[in-house]
Amino acid sequence: SLVGPRAYYEDELKTQQNQFPQTKDLVREVLAVKPGITGYWQVSGRSEVNFDKRIAMDAYYARNKSLWLDLAIILKTPWVMWSGKGAI
């Protein structure tokens, strides 16, 4: 898929859910959506965002996915990549 939450490593999810136990329901929502190569989190902060906020962004996308939201994310992606905003 072009747009969707970035895939998570299984050990990353376990570690982060132990640190942020309030995210368990959000993780279930996110895992129900097909991953993509760009997504809401990638264009909204990337490494500047902690896991609890990242998973909330991905869950927001899962609940509100639409052609218009996908288009907005696709249009933002080149600028975010070029600017390096949020990159480590």
Side-chain angles (χ1 to χ4, degrees), residues 23-44:
T23 63
K24 291 183 190 272
D25 290 335
L26 296 175
V27 168
R28 265 185 250 124
E29 285 183 58
V30 170
L31 294 179
V33 177
K34 192 172 186 176
I37 59 172
T38 189
Y40 190 63
W41 165 73
Q42 286 89 341
V43 299
S44 302

Side-chain angles (χ1 to χ4, degrees), residues 35-56:
I37 59 172
T38 189
Y40 190 63
W41 165 73
Q42 286 89 341
V43 299
S44 302
R46 296 177 358 183
S47 63
E48 296 174 352
V49 177
N50 289 334
F51 178 79
D52 60 334
K53 303 257 187 304
R54 174 185 176 184
I55 201 74

